[in-house]
Short mmCIF file of all heavy atoms in Angstrom, two decimals:
data_model
loop_
_atom_site.label_atom_id
_atom_site.label_comp_id
_atom_site.label_asym_id
_atom_site.label_seq_id
_atom_site.Cartn_x
_atom_site.Cartn_y
_atom_site.Cartn_z
N MET M 1 -22.16 40.25 -6.64
CA MET M 1 -22.48 39.43 -5.47
C MET M 1 -23.94 38.99 -5.52
O MET M 1 -24.27 37.90 -5.05
CB MET M 1 -22.20 40.28 -4.20
CG MET M 1 -22.25 39.50 -2.93
SD MET M 1 -20.88 38.35 -2.89
CE MET M 1 -21.07 37.67 -1.28
N ASN M 2 -24.78 39.83 -6.10
CA ASN M 2 -26.22 39.46 -6.18
C ASN M 2 -26.42 38.24 -7.06
O ASN M 2 -27.33 37.43 -6.81
CB ASN M 2 -27.02 40.65 -6.72
CG ASN M 2 -27.11 41.77 -5.73
OD1 ASN M 2 -26.99 41.52 -4.50
ND2 ASN M 2 -27.28 43.00 -6.18
N ILE M 3 -25.61 38.09 -8.10
CA ILE M 3 -25.77 36.97 -9.01
C ILE M 3 -25.46 35.65 -8.32
O ILE M 3 -26.06 34.63 -8.59
CB ILE M 3 -24.95 37.17 -10.30
CG1 ILE M 3 -25.36 36.15 -11.37
CG2 ILE M 3 -23.48 37.01 -10.00
CD1 ILE M 3 -26.70 36.45 -11.92
N ILE M 4 -24.52 35.68 -7.36
CA ILE M 4 -24.18 34.46 -6.62
C ILE M 4 -25.40 34.01 -5.80
O ILE M 4 -25.72 32.82 -5.75
CB ILE M 4 -22.96 34.69 -5.74
CG1 ILE M 4 -21.73 34.88 -6.63
CG2 ILE M 4 -22.75 33.53 -4.76
CD1 ILE M 4 -20.47 35.22 -5.85
N PHE M 5 -26.06 34.98 -5.13
CA PHE M 5 -27.23 34.63 -4.33
C PHE M 5 -28.35 34.07 -5.23
O PHE M 5 -29.08 33.18 -4.88
CB PHE M 5 -27.72 35.83 -3.54
CG PHE M 5 -26.76 36.26 -2.48
CD1 PHE M 5 -26.43 37.59 -2.35
CD2 PHE M 5 -26.18 35.33 -1.61
CE1 PHE M 5 -25.55 37.99 -1.33
CE2 PHE M 5 -25.30 35.71 -0.62
CZ PHE M 5 -24.98 37.07 -0.48
N PHE M 6 -28.48 34.70 -6.42
CA PHE M 6 -29.49 34.22 -7.35
C PHE M 6 -29.20 32.79 -7.83
O PHE M 6 -30.09 31.96 -7.88
CB PHE M 6 -29.56 35.18 -8.57
CG PHE M 6 -30.49 34.69 -9.64
CD1 PHE M 6 -31.83 34.79 -9.47
CD2 PHE M 6 -29.95 34.19 -10.82
CE1 PHE M 6 -32.69 34.38 -10.46
CE2 PHE M 6 -30.82 33.77 -11.84
CZ PHE M 6 -32.21 33.86 -11.65
N LEU M 7 -27.93 32.52 -8.17
CA LEU M 7 -27.58 31.19 -8.63
C LEU M 7 -27.72 30.14 -7.49
O LEU M 7 -28.12 28.99 -7.76
CB LEU M 7 -26.14 31.19 -9.18
CG LEU M 7 -25.94 31.95 -10.49
CD1 LEU M 7 -24.48 31.98 -10.85
CD2 LEU M 7 -26.78 31.31 -11.57
N ILE M 8 -27.39 30.51 -6.28
CA ILE M 8 -27.56 29.58 -5.16
C ILE M 8 -29.05 29.28 -4.96
O ILE M 8 -29.43 28.14 -4.74
CB ILE M 8 -26.91 30.14 -3.86
CG1 ILE M 8 -25.40 30.14 -3.99
CG2 ILE M 8 -27.38 29.37 -2.64
CD1 ILE M 8 -24.70 30.84 -2.85
N GLY M 9 -29.87 30.30 -5.06
CA GLY M 9 -31.34 30.09 -4.93
C GLY M 9 -31.88 29.20 -6.04
O GLY M 9 -32.70 28.31 -5.81
N CYS M 10 -31.39 29.42 -7.27
CA CYS M 10 -31.85 28.56 -8.40
C CYS M 10 -31.40 27.14 -8.21
O CYS M 10 -32.16 26.21 -8.49
CB CYS M 10 -31.31 29.13 -9.72
SG CYS M 10 -32.12 30.63 -10.24
N SER M 11 -30.16 26.94 -7.75
CA SER M 11 -29.68 25.56 -7.58
C SER M 11 -30.44 24.85 -6.46
O SER M 11 -30.68 23.66 -6.56
CB SER M 11 -28.16 25.56 -7.31
OG SER M 11 -27.88 26.21 -6.11
N ILE M 12 -30.77 25.56 -5.39
CA ILE M 12 -31.54 24.94 -4.33
C ILE M 12 -32.96 24.57 -4.81
O ILE M 12 -33.49 23.52 -4.52
CB ILE M 12 -31.61 25.87 -3.10
CG1 ILE M 12 -30.22 25.94 -2.45
CG2 ILE M 12 -32.65 25.40 -2.09
CD1 ILE M 12 -30.10 26.92 -1.31
N LEU M 13 -33.55 25.47 -5.63
CA LEU M 13 -34.87 25.19 -6.18
C LEU M 13 -34.83 23.95 -7.08
O LEU M 13 -35.71 23.09 -6.99
CB LEU M 13 -35.39 26.40 -6.94
CG LEU M 13 -36.75 26.23 -7.62
CD1 LEU M 13 -37.82 26.09 -6.57
CD2 LEU M 13 -37.01 27.40 -8.53
N ILE M 14 -33.84 23.86 -7.95
CA ILE M 14 -33.74 22.71 -8.84
C ILE M 14 -33.47 21.42 -8.05
O ILE M 14 -34.04 20.37 -8.33
CB ILE M 14 -32.62 22.94 -9.87
CG1 ILE M 14 -33.08 24.03 -10.86
CG2 ILE M 14 -32.28 21.69 -10.65
CD1 ILE M 14 -32.02 24.51 -11.80
N ALA M 15 -32.64 21.52 -6.99
CA ALA M 15 -32.39 20.35 -6.13
C ALA M 15 -33.67 19.87 -5.46
O ALA M 15 -33.92 18.69 -5.33
CB ALA M 15 -31.32 20.68 -5.12
N LEU M 16 -34.49 20.81 -5.02
CA LEU M 16 -35.75 20.44 -4.37
C LEU M 16 -36.72 19.82 -5.35
O LEU M 16 -37.45 18.86 -5.00
CB LEU M 16 -36.39 21.67 -3.70
CG LEU M 16 -35.67 22.19 -2.45
CD1 LEU M 16 -36.34 23.47 -1.97
CD2 LEU M 16 -35.69 21.12 -1.36
N ILE M 17 -36.73 20.27 -6.58
CA ILE M 17 -37.54 19.67 -7.61
C ILE M 17 -37.14 18.24 -7.88
O ILE M 17 -37.97 17.33 -7.96
CB ILE M 17 -37.52 20.51 -8.91
CG1 ILE M 17 -38.26 21.83 -8.67
CG2 ILE M 17 -38.13 19.74 -10.08
CD1 ILE M 17 -38.11 22.83 -9.81
N PHE M 18 -35.79 17.98 -8.01
CA PHE M 18 -35.32 16.64 -8.21
C PHE M 18 -35.59 15.74 -7.02
O PHE M 18 -35.91 14.57 -7.15
CB PHE M 18 -33.84 16.64 -8.58
CG PHE M 18 -33.57 16.98 -10.00
CD1 PHE M 18 -32.95 18.17 -10.34
CD2 PHE M 18 -33.95 16.10 -11.02
CE1 PHE M 18 -32.71 18.47 -11.66
CE2 PHE M 18 -33.72 16.42 -12.35
CZ PHE M 18 -33.08 17.59 -12.67
N LEU M 19 -35.47 16.29 -5.83
CA LEU M 19 -35.75 15.51 -4.62
C LEU M 19 -37.24 15.14 -4.56
O LEU M 19 -37.55 13.97 -4.23
CB LEU M 19 -35.37 16.31 -3.36
CG LEU M 19 -35.49 15.59 -2.03
CD1 LEU M 19 -34.51 14.43 -1.97
CD2 LEU M 19 -35.24 16.56 -0.90
N GLY M 20 -38.09 16.05 -4.93
CA GLY M 20 -39.53 15.76 -4.97
C GLY M 20 -39.83 14.70 -6.02
O GLY M 20 -40.66 13.82 -5.80
N ALA M 21 -39.18 14.76 -7.20
CA ALA M 21 -39.39 13.76 -8.24
C ALA M 21 -38.91 12.39 -7.77
O ALA M 21 -39.54 11.38 -8.08
CB ALA M 21 -38.67 14.16 -9.54
N PHE M 22 -37.79 12.35 -7.03
CA PHE M 22 -37.31 11.07 -6.52
C PHE M 22 -38.28 10.45 -5.51
O PHE M 22 -38.58 9.26 -5.57
CB PHE M 22 -35.94 11.28 -5.86
CG PHE M 22 -35.44 10.03 -5.15
CD1 PHE M 22 -34.96 8.98 -5.87
CD2 PHE M 22 -35.49 9.98 -3.78
CE1 PHE M 22 -34.50 7.83 -5.21
CE2 PHE M 22 -35.03 8.85 -3.11
CZ PHE M 22 -34.54 7.78 -3.83
N PHE M 23 -38.79 11.28 -4.58
CA PHE M 23 -39.74 10.78 -3.62
C PHE M 23 -41.05 10.31 -4.29
O PHE M 23 -41.64 9.34 -3.90
CB PHE M 23 -40.03 11.82 -2.54
CG PHE M 23 -38.92 11.94 -1.51
CD1 PHE M 23 -38.50 13.18 -1.09
CD2 PHE M 23 -38.29 10.80 -1.00
CE1 PHE M 23 -37.49 13.30 -0.17
CE2 PHE M 23 -37.27 10.91 -0.09
CZ PHE M 23 -36.87 12.19 0.35
N TRP M 24 -41.48 11.04 -5.31
CA TRP M 24 -42.68 10.65 -6.04
C TRP M 24 -42.45 9.30 -6.73
O TRP M 24 -43.32 8.44 -6.68
CB TRP M 24 -43.03 11.72 -7.08
CG TRP M 24 -44.11 11.27 -7.99
CD1 TRP M 24 -45.47 11.27 -7.73
CD2 TRP M 24 -43.96 10.73 -9.28
NE1 TRP M 24 -46.14 10.75 -8.80
CE2 TRP M 24 -45.25 10.42 -9.77
CE3 TRP M 24 -42.89 10.49 -10.09
CZ2 TRP M 24 -45.46 9.88 -11.03
CZ3 TRP M 24 -43.10 9.94 -11.36
CH2 TRP M 24 -44.35 9.64 -11.80
N ALA M 25 -41.30 9.12 -7.36
CA ALA M 25 -41.01 7.87 -8.06
C ALA M 25 -40.92 6.71 -7.06
O ALA M 25 -41.37 5.60 -7.33
CB ALA M 25 -39.70 7.99 -8.84
N THR M 26 -40.33 6.95 -5.89
CA THR M 26 -40.24 5.92 -4.89
C THR M 26 -41.63 5.55 -4.33
O THR M 26 -41.94 4.37 -4.15
CB THR M 26 -39.36 6.39 -3.74
OG1 THR M 26 -38.08 6.73 -4.27
CG2 THR M 26 -39.17 5.31 -2.69
N ARG M 27 -42.47 6.55 -4.13
CA ARG M 27 -43.80 6.27 -3.58
C ARG M 27 -44.69 5.56 -4.58
O ARG M 27 -45.53 4.74 -4.19
CB ARG M 27 -44.46 7.61 -3.20
CG ARG M 27 -45.71 7.46 -2.41
CD ARG M 27 -46.26 8.77 -1.89
NE ARG M 27 -45.47 9.88 -2.41
CZ ARG M 27 -46.02 10.99 -2.92
NH1 ARG M 27 -47.31 11.11 -2.98
NH2 ARG M 27 -45.27 11.94 -3.39
N THR M 28 -44.52 5.79 -5.85
CA THR M 28 -45.36 5.13 -6.87
C THR M 28 -44.81 3.78 -7.31
O THR M 28 -45.39 3.14 -8.17
CB THR M 28 -45.56 6.03 -8.08
OG1 THR M 28 -44.30 6.37 -8.65
CG2 THR M 28 -46.32 7.28 -7.72
N GLY M 29 -43.70 3.34 -6.74
CA GLY M 29 -43.18 1.99 -7.03
C GLY M 29 -42.29 1.89 -8.23
O GLY M 29 -42.15 0.80 -8.80
N GLN M 30 -41.65 2.95 -8.63
CA GLN M 30 -40.76 2.90 -9.80
C GLN M 30 -39.49 2.07 -9.56
O GLN M 30 -38.91 1.56 -10.47
CB GLN M 30 -40.38 4.32 -10.22
CG GLN M 30 -41.51 5.15 -10.70
CD GLN M 30 -42.11 4.65 -12.00
OE1 GLN M 30 -41.35 4.26 -12.88
NE2 GLN M 30 -43.40 4.65 -12.10
N HIS M 31 -39.09 1.95 -8.29
CA HIS M 31 -37.83 1.26 -7.98
C HIS M 31 -38.07 -0.11 -7.37
O HIS M 31 -37.19 -0.67 -6.74
CB HIS M 31 -37.02 2.11 -7.02
CG HIS M 31 -36.78 3.50 -7.48
ND1 HIS M 31 -35.98 3.80 -8.57
CD2 HIS M 31 -37.26 4.69 -7.05
CE1 HIS M 31 -35.98 5.09 -8.75
NE2 HIS M 31 -36.74 5.65 -7.87
N GLU M 32 -39.25 -0.68 -7.50
CA GLU M 32 -39.57 -1.93 -6.88
C GLU M 32 -38.93 -3.16 -7.56
O GLU M 32 -38.40 -4.03 -6.91
CB GLU M 32 -41.09 -2.12 -6.82
CG GLU M 32 -41.78 -1.14 -5.93
CD GLU M 32 -41.43 -1.34 -4.47
OE1 GLU M 32 -41.26 -2.49 -4.02
OE2 GLU M 32 -41.31 -0.32 -3.75
N ASP M 33 -39.03 -3.21 -8.90
CA ASP M 33 -38.54 -4.38 -9.63
C ASP M 33 -37.12 -4.18 -10.10
O ASP M 33 -36.86 -3.51 -11.09
CB ASP M 33 -39.47 -4.64 -10.82
CG ASP M 33 -39.17 -5.96 -11.50
OD1 ASP M 33 -38.42 -6.77 -10.92
OD2 ASP M 33 -39.64 -6.14 -12.64
N THR M 34 -36.19 -4.77 -9.38
CA THR M 34 -34.79 -4.66 -9.78
C THR M 34 -34.26 -5.89 -10.45
O THR M 34 -33.18 -5.94 -10.99
CB THR M 34 -33.89 -4.34 -8.56
OG1 THR M 34 -34.07 -5.39 -7.62
CG2 THR M 34 -34.28 -3.02 -7.94
N TYR M 35 -35.07 -6.97 -10.46
CA TYR M 35 -34.64 -8.26 -11.03
C TYR M 35 -34.95 -8.37 -12.54
O TYR M 35 -34.10 -8.78 -13.29
CB TYR M 35 -35.27 -9.41 -10.28
CG TYR M 35 -34.90 -10.76 -10.84
CD1 TYR M 35 -33.59 -11.24 -10.66
CD2 TYR M 35 -35.80 -11.52 -11.54
CE1 TYR M 35 -33.24 -12.49 -11.21
CE2 TYR M 35 -35.43 -12.77 -12.09
CZ TYR M 35 -34.14 -13.21 -11.90
OH TYR M 35 -33.75 -14.40 -12.41
N THR M 36 -36.13 -7.97 -12.92
CA THR M 36 -36.57 -8.16 -14.32
C THR M 36 -35.67 -7.49 -15.36
O THR M 36 -35.35 -8.12 -16.37
CB THR M 36 -38.00 -7.71 -14.49
OG1 THR M 36 -38.83 -8.41 -13.56
CG2 THR M 36 -38.52 -7.96 -15.89
N PRO M 37 -35.26 -6.24 -15.18
CA PRO M 37 -34.39 -5.62 -16.20
C PRO M 37 -33.07 -6.37 -16.41
O PRO M 37 -32.54 -6.37 -17.51
CB PRO M 37 -34.14 -4.24 -15.68
CG PRO M 37 -35.28 -3.94 -14.80
CD PRO M 37 -35.63 -5.26 -14.18
N SER M 38 -32.54 -7.03 -15.38
CA SER M 38 -31.27 -7.72 -15.53
C SER M 38 -31.39 -9.04 -16.32
O SER M 38 -30.44 -9.48 -16.89
CB SER M 38 -30.66 -8.01 -14.15
OG SER M 38 -31.51 -8.88 -13.43
N VAL M 39 -32.59 -9.64 -16.34
CA VAL M 39 -32.76 -10.88 -17.08
C VAL M 39 -33.51 -10.67 -18.40
O VAL M 39 -33.65 -11.62 -19.18
CB VAL M 39 -33.48 -11.96 -16.24
CG1 VAL M 39 -32.64 -12.33 -15.02
CG2 VAL M 39 -34.85 -11.55 -15.87
N ARG M 40 -34.01 -9.49 -18.62
CA ARG M 40 -34.77 -9.22 -19.85
C ARG M 40 -33.93 -9.44 -21.10
O ARG M 40 -34.42 -9.86 -22.13
CB ARG M 40 -35.31 -7.79 -19.84
CG ARG M 40 -36.24 -7.50 -20.98
CD ARG M 40 -36.82 -6.13 -20.91
NE ARG M 40 -37.54 -5.94 -19.67
CZ ARG M 40 -37.73 -4.81 -19.07
NH1 ARG M 40 -37.23 -3.68 -19.57
NH2 ARG M 40 -38.41 -4.74 -17.94
N ILE M 41 -32.63 -9.17 -21.01
CA ILE M 41 -31.77 -9.32 -22.19
C ILE M 41 -31.58 -10.79 -22.56
O ILE M 41 -31.24 -11.12 -23.69
CB ILE M 41 -30.40 -8.65 -21.90
CG1 ILE M 41 -29.64 -8.47 -23.21
CG2 ILE M 41 -29.61 -9.39 -20.90
CD1 ILE M 41 -28.45 -7.56 -23.08
N LEU M 42 -31.84 -11.71 -21.63
CA LEU M 42 -31.65 -13.11 -21.90
C LEU M 42 -32.75 -13.72 -22.75
O LEU M 42 -32.58 -14.77 -23.36
CB LEU M 42 -31.54 -13.90 -20.58
CG LEU M 42 -30.41 -13.46 -19.65
CD1 LEU M 42 -30.50 -14.20 -18.34
CD2 LEU M 42 -29.07 -13.68 -20.32
N PHE M 43 -33.92 -13.06 -22.78
CA PHE M 43 -35.04 -13.63 -23.56
C PHE M 43 -35.02 -13.07 -24.97
O PHE M 43 -34.74 -11.91 -25.19
CB PHE M 43 -36.36 -13.27 -22.88
CG PHE M 43 -36.47 -13.80 -21.47
CD1 PHE M 43 -36.54 -12.96 -20.40
CD2 PHE M 43 -36.46 -15.16 -21.26
CE1 PHE M 43 -36.61 -13.44 -19.11
CE2 PHE M 43 -36.55 -15.67 -19.99
CZ PHE M 43 -36.62 -14.80 -18.89
N GLU M 44 -35.36 -13.92 -25.90
CA GLU M 44 -35.43 -13.45 -27.30
C GLU M 44 -36.72 -12.65 -27.54
O GLU M 44 -37.72 -12.88 -26.89
CB GLU M 44 -35.41 -14.66 -28.24
CG GLU M 44 -34.09 -15.41 -28.26
CD GLU M 44 -34.07 -16.51 -29.28
OE1 GLU M 44 -34.86 -16.43 -30.24
OE2 GLU M 44 -33.28 -17.41 -29.13
N ASP M 45 -36.64 -11.74 -28.43
CA ASP M 45 -37.83 -10.96 -28.81
C ASP M 45 -38.77 -11.83 -29.57
O ASP M 45 -38.36 -12.64 -30.43
CB ASP M 45 -37.48 -9.75 -29.67
CG ASP M 45 -36.66 -8.75 -28.91
OD1 ASP M 45 -36.76 -8.72 -27.67
OD2 ASP M 45 -35.92 -7.97 -29.55
N GLU M 46 -40.06 -11.69 -29.29
CA GLU M 46 -41.08 -12.46 -30.01
C GLU M 46 -41.28 -11.82 -31.40
O GLU M 46 -41.25 -10.60 -31.55
CB GLU M 46 -42.38 -12.46 -29.25
CG GLU M 46 -42.29 -13.20 -27.93
CD GLU M 46 -43.61 -13.20 -27.21
OE1 GLU M 46 -44.64 -12.89 -27.83
OE2 GLU M 46 -43.61 -13.52 -26.01
N ILE M 47 -41.50 -12.67 -32.39
CA ILE M 47 -41.74 -12.17 -33.74
C ILE M 47 -43.17 -11.74 -33.81
O ILE M 47 -44.10 -12.44 -33.41
CB ILE M 47 -41.48 -13.27 -34.79
CG1 ILE M 47 -40.02 -13.70 -34.73
CG2 ILE M 47 -41.84 -12.77 -36.17
CD1 ILE M 47 -39.69 -14.87 -35.61
N SER M 48 -43.40 -10.53 -34.32
CA SER M 48 -44.75 -10.04 -34.44
C SER M 48 -45.50 -10.79 -35.53
O SER M 48 -44.90 -11.48 -36.37
CB SER M 48 -44.75 -8.53 -34.75
OG SER M 48 -44.17 -8.32 -36.00
N GLN M 49 -46.81 -10.67 -35.55
CA GLN M 49 -47.63 -11.37 -36.56
C GLN M 49 -47.26 -10.91 -37.98
O GLN M 49 -47.19 -11.71 -38.89
CB GLN M 49 -49.10 -11.12 -36.28
CG GLN M 49 -49.57 -11.78 -35.00
CD GLN M 49 -49.47 -13.29 -35.04
OE1 GLN M 49 -49.58 -13.90 -36.08
NE2 GLN M 49 -49.25 -13.92 -33.89
N GLU M 50 -47.02 -9.63 -38.16
CA GLU M 50 -46.68 -9.14 -39.48
C GLU M 50 -45.31 -9.65 -39.93
O GLU M 50 -45.10 -9.97 -41.07
CB GLU M 50 -46.71 -7.62 -39.50
CG GLU M 50 -48.11 -7.04 -39.34
CD GLU M 50 -48.08 -5.55 -39.32
OE1 GLU M 50 -47.09 -4.96 -39.78
OE2 GLU M 50 -49.07 -4.94 -38.86
N GLY M 51 -44.37 -9.71 -39.00
CA GLY M 51 -43.06 -10.20 -39.34
C GLY M 51 -43.09 -11.67 -39.70
O GLY M 51 -42.40 -12.12 -40.61
N ALA M 52 -43.94 -12.44 -39.02
CA ALA M 52 -44.06 -13.88 -39.33
C ALA M 52 -44.71 -14.06 -40.71
O ALA M 52 -44.33 -14.95 -41.47
CB ALA M 52 -44.92 -14.58 -38.24
N LYS M 53 -45.67 -13.21 -41.07
CA LYS M 53 -46.32 -13.34 -42.38
C LYS M 53 -45.33 -13.01 -43.48
O LYS M 53 -45.33 -13.63 -44.54
CB LYS M 53 -47.52 -12.39 -42.46
CG LYS M 53 -48.70 -12.83 -41.60
CD LYS M 53 -49.81 -11.85 -41.67
CE LYS M 53 -50.95 -12.23 -40.73
NZ LYS M 53 -52.03 -11.24 -40.74
N GLU M 54 -44.49 -12.01 -43.27
CA GLU M 54 -43.49 -11.65 -44.28
C GLU M 54 -42.47 -12.75 -44.45
O GLU M 54 -42.03 -13.01 -45.56
CB GLU M 54 -42.83 -10.34 -43.89
CG GLU M 54 -43.71 -9.14 -44.01
CD GLU M 54 -43.02 -7.88 -43.56
OE1 GLU M 54 -41.78 -7.89 -43.39
OE2 GLU M 54 -43.69 -6.87 -43.36
N GLU M 55 -42.11 -13.42 -43.38
CA GLU M 55 -41.11 -14.52 -43.47
C GLU M 55 -41.72 -15.69 -44.27
O GLU M 55 -41.01 -16.33 -45.02
CB GLU M 55 -40.72 -14.96 -42.08
CG GLU M 55 -39.87 -13.98 -41.32
CD GLU M 55 -38.53 -13.79 -41.94
OE1 GLU M 55 -37.97 -14.75 -42.50
OE2 GLU M 55 -38.01 -12.65 -41.94
N THR M 56 -43.01 -15.97 -44.09
CA THR M 56 -43.60 -17.09 -44.81
C THR M 56 -43.78 -16.75 -46.29
O THR M 56 -43.73 -17.61 -47.15
CB THR M 56 -44.98 -17.49 -44.22
OG1 THR M 56 -45.83 -16.33 -44.17
CG2 THR M 56 -44.77 -18.03 -42.83
N ARG M 57 -44.00 -15.47 -46.61
CA ARG M 57 -44.14 -15.04 -48.00
C ARG M 57 -42.81 -15.18 -48.74
O ARG M 57 -42.77 -15.51 -49.91
CB ARG M 57 -44.63 -13.62 -48.09
CG ARG M 57 -46.06 -13.44 -47.68
CD ARG M 57 -46.51 -12.02 -47.83
NE ARG M 57 -47.71 -11.77 -47.11
CZ ARG M 57 -48.16 -10.63 -46.74
NH1 ARG M 57 -47.48 -9.53 -47.09
NH2 ARG M 57 -49.27 -10.50 -46.11
N LYS M 58 -41.70 -14.89 -48.08
CA LYS M 58 -40.40 -14.95 -48.71
C LYS M 58 -40.00 -16.37 -48.98
O LYS M 58 -39.26 -16.66 -49.92
CB LYS M 58 -39.36 -14.26 -47.83
CG LYS M 58 -39.54 -12.78 -47.74
CD LYS M 58 -38.50 -12.18 -46.83
CE LYS M 58 -38.71 -10.67 -46.70
NZ LYS M 58 -37.75 -10.09 -45.74
N ALA M 59 -40.43 -17.31 -48.16
CA ALA M 59 -39.98 -18.72 -48.29
C ALA M 59 -40.69 -19.44 -49.37
O ALA M 59 -41.31 -19.18 -50.23
CB ALA M 59 -40.23 -19.42 -46.98
#
């Protein structure tokens, strides 16, 4: 029976830690931009300078 009380205490502690992390993330603005991630896939990746130099060397 003692182990059940211990496990309930541990689960409540972990739940409070996650709740605190959620409130911290909300307060620091982690959930503000919901539009950009949905359109980020539509833009092509820019070629880095090294990648562009290698492409010109091959041609």
